[in-house]
Amino acid sequence: MGGPAVVTSGDGQGYTDFIDRSKPWWKNTRIVKLNLCIALLLITSSTNGYDGSMMNGLQSLPQWNDAFNHPSGGKLGLLSAIQNIGSVAAYPFSPYVSDGLGRRFAVILGATIMCIATVLQTASHSVGMFIGARFLIGFGLTFAAAAAPVLITEIAYPTQRGPATSLYNTLWFLGSITAAWTTFGTFHIPSSWSWRIPSAIQALPSVIQLLLIWFIPESPRWLCSKGREEQALSVLAYYHANGNREDPLVEYEFEEIRAAIRFDREVAANVGWLSFVRTPGNRRRLRIMIAIAFFSQWSGNNLIAYYMNKIFDSIGITDPTTQLLINGCLNIYNFIIAIIAGLLCDKIGRRPLFIASTVGMFVFWVLQTACFALYAEKGNIVAAHTFIAMIFLFYAFCELSLLSALSFIAFTPLIVAYTVEILPFPLRAKGFTIFNFALSVSLIFNQYVNPIALQALGWKYYLVYVCWLGFEVCFILRFLIETKNRTLEETAALFDGEDNAAHLAEHAAVNAGIADTRSDREKASTEEIVEEVKV
């Protein structure tokens, strides 16, 4: 089982007194450098986003359809799903690479595999070769995608960890935008290069990472776990305190990390896969991780993301140029709002964003269903055009004075950030692998089943998602808890209980020369939160 967190203040911000507020972060060259390193890791998500949008765009290209004999139904589903099947194949290995050889090495390995696979995909001359290359892309992506967000979380400056990790999944749209407009631009190329060029560009994020990864620091938490404490302290001091090893923030972070890892070694040495079902706290984590993984893929979003052209065909919009243009505009729109939502996660909180997201998706999916049904049953052109508007409103719904809020305001920026931060260090890589496995299984099912079900049921298939979204709303309201403004070590106390957390807090505070100055009222407040989570 994983170790509990260190809780040092009632609001979870034990480190805030040690933050240097003498100047804004963008005037601190070390933090700027750290954020540039984080930006390099963020683009890992772009590879995944690129793939979904590329496959959507390729389906609108006559040249690609001719090259692969106009795939449809199960064959089309396999072409889309095979990347995620490759991802699943790598899950048994990725946490051991990340935990054993380091977060940075896992990113390098994944990027190398994806570069090789993209060359094969671009050179494909048969369906089998295309499928094989996409399988290999998914296999490599697992290593990079399992390590990159964890490394971001573990090196980020404390006050920027939430927004930084939230931006990881948001960068999915950067890849999606690139793919959408690349396929739009190559549409008029008469040869096979109309689809080979988009295939080749998929390697760009991995190439950039391989060239610059050597400037990124390794995780201080991983270094401590391997007994390399001096190196870990140097990383924390260099990036979080301009090289000052005696800075109070650095001492606090370092002692908190050491205390948590020491506890895991002495009291909770068993960190195998069964740890996730052995304690109530880990079972709560597992329940939430699996749920939000499935919710992120089974909310109707992938029906739009991967098979938009099939949906447009069903409502009478058959011009490939129009389809590609709508796809490109939608991705830019989503990207902008996702960034805004990611940056607000620490101000608004995780739970309000998740609630707003699920309720908004439910409402506007119901309206999409109604428009789709009106066109299918009565040929109502106005309903078909309204359906397009509902797609945009599904991603962003109006609140109060008509200000946009992302329908995926939680699921796009927060699913990765939330999953990583609720896991204690010894279980973080394995837990994130479980999350990614659940996500991939749900995505494979969707990618394979959606085109078949849509072809067989038409608009009635939308009713399945109406019911599922209703369930999502109920689950989020009942089980999802708030974690904003806590360090990684502090957050786990919400799941593991206060007693062990208090022990670690006292130990870390003593070693860092920091006293626990909470009032009785603040301590009682934290205990009430923990008791509420245990329900």
Side-chain angles (χ1 to χ4, degrees):
M1 59 182 172
V6 176
V7 178
T8 58
S9 70
D11 63 357
Q13 299 187 68
Y15 60 84
T16 54
D17 290 339
F18 313 119
I19 299 296
D20 180 9
R21 304 187 188 279
S22 61
K23 58 182 177 180
W25 69 265
W26 59 84
K27 292 185 178 181
N28 187 320
T29 55
R30 297 287 175 86
I31 296 180
V32 170
K33 184 176 179 180
L34 177 61
N35 286 339
L36 289 174
C37 293
I38 288 173
L40 183 63
L41 295 169
L42 289 173
I43 64 173
T44 304
S45 184
S46 299
T47 303
N48 206 13
Y50 188 97
D51 182 80
S53 188
M54 181 190 75
M55 287 305 299
N56 212 351
L58 293 185
Q59 292 172 50
S60 296
L61 295 178
Q63 301 92 324
W64 183 82
N65 281 292
D66 291 341
F68 297 106
N69 300 318
H70 297 270
S72 62
K75 185 177 180 181
L76 179 60
L78 179 61
L79 280 167
S80 295
I82 192 63
Q83 182 194 345
N84 287 286
I85 294 173
S87 294
V88 170
Y91 286 143
F93 314 105
S94 63
Y96 297 102
V97 172
S98 183
D99 281 344
L101 300 176
R103 316 309 197 198
R104 197 171 68 163
F105 179 86
V107 174
I108 294 171
L109 176 63
T112 302
I113 294 173
M114 284 188 285
C115 285
I116 295 171
T118 304
V119 172
L120 295 176
Q121 179 179 263
T122 304
S124 294
H125 52 75
S126 67
V127 173
M129 188 173 178
F130 193 81
I131 289 175
R134 285 180 52 72
F135 176 92
L136 198 57
I137 289 174
F139 191 84
L141 180 61
T142 290
F143 291 99
V150 173
L151 183 53
I152 291 168
T153 299
E154 293 176 351
I155 66 174
Y157 195 71
T159 57
Q160 298 177 358
R161 176 178 55 81
T165 314
S166 296
L167 287 175
Y168 176 81
N169 224 36
T170 301
L171 266 289
W172 188 96
F173 285 115
L174 179 61
S176 187
I177 290 168
T178 304
W181 289 101
T182 299
T183 53
F184 181 79
T186 61
F187 173 71
H188 295 291
I189 297 176
S191 68
S192 65
W193 283 106
S194 63
W195 63 266
R196 293 187 193 275
I197 290 175
S199 294
I201 293 176
Q202 188 168 5
L204 184 59
S206 298
V207 171
I208 294 173
Q209 285 184 327
L210 287 176
L211 292 174
L212 301 177
I213 192 73
W214 317 105
F215 298 102
I216 296 178
E218 184 54 90
S219 162
R221 289 166 175 84
W222 181 83
L223 292 170
C224 273
S225 73
K226 299 300 179 183
R228 296 157 64 179
E229 294 187 353
E230 280 298 310
Q231 192 175 346
L233 181 58
S234 297
V235 171
L236 287 172
Y238 183 86
Y239 289 102
H240 291 186
N242 289 309
N244 182 6
R245 285 171 162 245
E246 297 180 355
D247 183 87
L249 174 64
V250 172
E251 290 184 339
Y252 180 88
E253 289 184 284
F254 184 61
E255 290 301 334
E256 192 174 51
I257 292 169
R258 289 179 65 198
I261 291 176
R262 187 179 300 115
F263 178 88
D264 290 317
R265 286 175 176 166
E266 295 174 357
V267 184
N270 183 6
V271 291
W273 296 98
L274 291 178
S275 300
F276 288 97
V277 296
R278 282 179 176 154
T279 67
N282 286 338
R283 288 195 292 271
R284 295 184 195 106
R285 291 184 177 97
L286 187 65
R287 176 177 62 197
I288 292 174
M289 286 191 305
I290 292 177
I292 63 175
F294 275 84
F295 292 171
S296 70
Q297 304 304 320
W298 281 11
S299 298
N301 48 317
N302 278 314
L303 191 59
I304 298 171
Y306 280 86
Y307 304 107
M308 185 182 291
N309 70 311
K310 301 299 181 186
I311 295 171
F312 284 165
D313 288 343
S314 299
I315 60 172
I317 300 174
T318 57
D319 179 51
T321 302
T322 303
Q323 292 179 354
L324 290 168
L325 186 61
I326 294 174
N327 185 31
C329 292
L330 182 61
N331 279 292
I332 292 175
Y333 175 72
N334 290 340
F335 182 50
I336 293 171
I337 300 178
I339 288 177
I340 295 172
L343 295 176
L344 290 176
C345 68
D346 274 346
K347 295 183 181 296
I348 297 176
R350 280 67 159 157
R351 179 176 166 82
L353 290 177
F354 271 110
I355 292 173
S357 176
T358 49
V359 172
M361 288 188 291
F362 174 77
V363 169
F364 287 104
W365 191 267
V366 169
L367 294 176
Q368 276 190 70
T369 304
C371 292
F372 198 170
L374 282 173
Y375 179 81
E377 299 296 328
K378 298 184 179 180
N380 191 319
I381 299 298
V382 175
H385 294 163
T386 305
F387 178 85
I388 298 174
M390 289 302 107
I391 290 177
F392 280 81
L393 289 172
F394 176 69
Y395 287 98
F397 59 92
C398 295
E399 287 185 302
L400 299 176
S401 58
L402 299 180
L403 291 174
S404 270
L406 191 65
S407 175
F408 279 96
I409 200 168
F411 287 99
T412 297
L414 286 186
I415 56 170
V416 170
Y418 191 82
T419 299
V420 171
E421 70 187 9
I422 67 175
L423 290 164
F425 175 79
L427 296 177
R428 194 164 292 143
K430 289 184 177 69
F432 194 53
T433 297
I434 292 174
F435 166 80
N436 280 318
F437 177 79
L439 189 147
S440 292
V441 168
S442 61
L443 186 55
I444 290 168
F445 177 87
N446 256 4
Q447 289 173 323
Y448 192 78
V449 170
N450 277 340
I452 299 172
L454 189 63
Q455 185 176 353
L457 300 177
W459 73 267
K460 295 182 180 68
Y461 185 46
Y462 268 53
L463 295 174
V464 175
Y465 286 107
V466 170
C467 298
W468 180 257
L469 283 165
F471 168 73
E472 287 185 15
V473 172
C474 296
F475 184 96
I476 294 297
L477 287 171
R478 176 66 181 84
F479 294 113
L480 199 115
I481 64 173
E482 185 56 72
T483 62
K484 72 172 182 176
N485 295 329
R486 293 179 180 269
T487 66
L488 291 176
E489 284 70 32
E490 289 166 356
T491 299
L494 295 175
F495 295 86
D496 292 320
E498 185 71 10
D499 292 340
N500 287 331
H503 171 73
L504 276 181
E506 181 180 358
H507 181 81
V510 168
N511 279 277
I514 302 165
D516 187 355
T517 58
R518 291 180 296 164
S519 67
D520 291 339
R521 184 176 179 180
E522 287 175 327
K523 293 175 182 178
S525 174
T526 303
E527 291 170 0
E528 289 171 3
I529 294 173
V530 174
E531 288 302 317
E532 181 180 344
V533 174
K534 288 180 180 178
V535 176

